[in-house]
């Protein structure tokens, strides 16, 4: 019996497998050890209705690049399932397993945040520099949402879109600034405005905003790899999924080879462990 957890900043997906069969699957709020108290994960884990017979736990999580965070999370699950074999790794490996399996290629994350790596079929052999939402996360929901809200408040958004935005959010500048800077997870708040971009992505202005964000992503997270033009580039994440037409066109402009796009790693992870 195997428990697979895909833990993003926004949501966590829990998948219980018995052999090749999915026995249970549910979602909870996300968790990032860089921003959240580990006790939150303890309570979430202890509160989940899970059998004691679990033999393997595979935790893929945002914020798990550091050994310190991996050990913190491992202890939570070791305490909950003392007889189980616990594996904790970062969300990039979830992307690799989900969209590449055992094939070589570039795996990218385009969700609330963004990242990428080169995978040789077993291990991550090269990884882009990720600076987080304050400095980086190009191409992400945060990056697109921030661009949308900036265009609105700076007055660059066309009037038809300005009216739609105003009717959707009823947002005054002082309220926006206060909410943003008092928010415990400002990246999630900014990423929420990417939904507006998704609903209006056929509008030329929004299409240009998203395209520009994806161009930044490709420059930072794809072209940093010497062999990027020789490999298939696959994506995981809600932003890649919902904006995939714009993403495909932008990739084509750079003469890059597009691979699989998954909204979330879950289906790919199930497929991966069914073939282990």
């Amino acid at each position: 019996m195997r428990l697979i957890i895909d833990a993003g900043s926004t949501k966590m997906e829990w998948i219980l497998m018995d052999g090749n069969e999915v026995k249970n699957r549910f979602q909870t709020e996300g968790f990032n050890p860089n921003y959240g108290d580990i006790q939150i994960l303890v309570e979430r884990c202890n509160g989940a209705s899970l059998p004691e017979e679990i033999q393997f736990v595979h935790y893929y999580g945002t914020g798990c690049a550091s050994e310190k965070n991996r050990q913190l999370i491992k202890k939570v699950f070791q305490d909950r399932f003392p007889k189980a074999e616990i594996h904790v790794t970062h969300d990039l490996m979830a992307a690799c397993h989900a969209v590449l399996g055992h094939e070589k290629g570039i795996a990218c994350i385009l969700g609330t945040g963004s990242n990428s790596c080169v995978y040789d079929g077993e291990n991550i052999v090269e990884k882009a520099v990720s600076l987080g939402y304050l400095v980086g996360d190009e191409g992400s929901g945060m990056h697109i949402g921030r661009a949308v809200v900036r265009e609105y408040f700076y007055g660059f958004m066309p009037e038809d879109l300005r009216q739609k935005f105003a009717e959707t959010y009823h947002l005054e500048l002082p309220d926006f600034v206060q909410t943003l800077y008092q928010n415990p997870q400002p990246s999630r708040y900014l990423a929420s405005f990417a939904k507006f971009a998704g609903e209006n992505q056929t509008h030329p202005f929004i299409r240009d905003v998203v395209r520009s964000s994806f161009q930044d992503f490709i420059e930072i997270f794809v072209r940093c790899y010497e062999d990027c033009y020789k490999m298939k580039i696959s994506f995981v994440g809600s932003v890649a999924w919902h904006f995939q037409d714009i993403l495909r066109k932008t990739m084509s402009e750079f003469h890059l080879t597009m691979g699989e796009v998954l909204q979330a790693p879950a289906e790919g992870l199930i497929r991966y462990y069914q073939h282990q």
Side-chain angles (χ1 to χ4, degrees):
M1 196 167 280
R2 194 182 300 271
L3 176 64
I4 304 163
I5 302 141
D6 170 39
S9 294
T10 305
K11 66 177 175 19
M12 293 173 68
E13 182 138 15
W14 305 63
I15 302 162
L16 180 66
M17 294 182 69
D18 190 356
N20 287 337
E21 186 180 352
V22 176
K23 288 291 190 179
N24 193 10
R25 186 170 171 177
F26 58 92
Q27 290 184 358
T28 61
E29 283 190 42
F31 178 74
N32 186 327
N34 289 328
Y35 313 124
D37 189 326
I38 195 68
Q39 190 60 33
I40 295 170
L41 184 61
V42 171
E43 292 169 3
R44 207 159 286 164
C45 182
N46 291 342
S49 180
L50 294 165
E52 299 300 321
E53 298 82 10
I54 288 172
Q55 296 164 293
F56 301 95
V57 175
H58 305 277
Y59 183 101
Y60 299 89
T62 186
C64 290
S66 76
E67 180 64 23
K68 178 184 175 183
N69 285 349
R70 288 196 295 271
Q71 289 303 319
L72 278 172
I73 289 167
K74 185 173 182 178
K75 186 177 186 307
V76 170
F77 286 92
Q78 201 72 77
D79 290 346
R80 176 72 171 80
F81 303 105
K83 296 180 181 178
E85 190 176 305
I86 315 293
H87 301 274
V88 179
T89 187
H90 45 75
D91 51 356
L92 266 177
M93 188 60 86
C96 293
H97 286 172
V99 293
L100 295 173
H102 293 289
E103 293 182 13
K104 181 180 179 181
I106 295 174
C108 303
I109 293 173
L110 275 178
T112 303
S114 60
N115 211 336
S116 74
C117 67
V118 177
Y119 178 68
D120 68 0
E122 293 296 332
N123 300 297
I124 292 172
V125 293
E126 200 173 349
K127 184 180 167 189
V129 174
S130 178
L131 297 175
Y133 73 92
L134 280 177
V135 183
D137 274 351
E138 291 81 2
S140 68
M142 184 285 303
H143 198 247
I144 292 169
R146 185 179 66 182
V148 167
V149 81
R150 284 173 76 246
E151 298 297 297
Y152 174 76
F153 282 119
Y154 284 161
F156 299 138
M157 189 178 281
E159 187 57 31
D160 58 334
L161 280 177
R162 280 185 61 80
Q163 289 181 9
K164 273 190 180 182
F165 189 94
E167 290 167 4
T168 301
Y169 295 104
H170 305 285
L171 199 60
E172 298 295 331
L173 180 57
D175 297 330
F176 166 74
V177 172
Q178 184 177 21
T179 302
L180 176 64
Y181 287 96
Q182 291 183 358
N183 198 303
Q185 291 188 303
S187 63
R188 285 177 62 177
Y189 179 59
L190 289 172
S192 69
F193 297 105
K195 183 181 179 184
F196 181 82
E199 292 168 350
N200 296 279
Q201 61 180 290
T202 57
H203 194 290
F205 183 83
I206 292 294
R207 195 165 59 242
D208 286 346
V209 167
V210 176
R211 179 171 167 268
S212 175
S213 186
F214 287 159
Q215 286 173 334
D216 289 345
F217 174 84
I218 290 168
E219 289 289 359
I220 301 298
F221 288 101
V222 177
R223 295 186 73 193
C224 60
Y225 305 121
E226 188 177 345
D227 291 335
C228 65
Y229 292 99
K230 300 176 184 177
M231 290 185 281
K232 186 166 62 175
I233 302 154
S234 298
F235 294 82
V236 168
S238 56
V239 170
W241 177 262
H242 289 295
F243 295 100
Q244 61 182 290
D245 287 345
I246 301 174
L247 179 58
R248 287 183 188 280
K249 287 176 184 175
T250 311
M251 290 279 287
S252 178
E253 289 168 9
F254 282 86
H255 307 291
L256 294 161
T257 304
M258 189 91 165
E260 187 174 13
V261 179
L262 292 178
Q263 186 171 0
E267 297 302 329
L269 290 174
I270 291 168
R271 179 176 61 198
Y272 178 80
Y273 284 104
Q274 283 174 336
H275 292 89
Q276 285 295 90

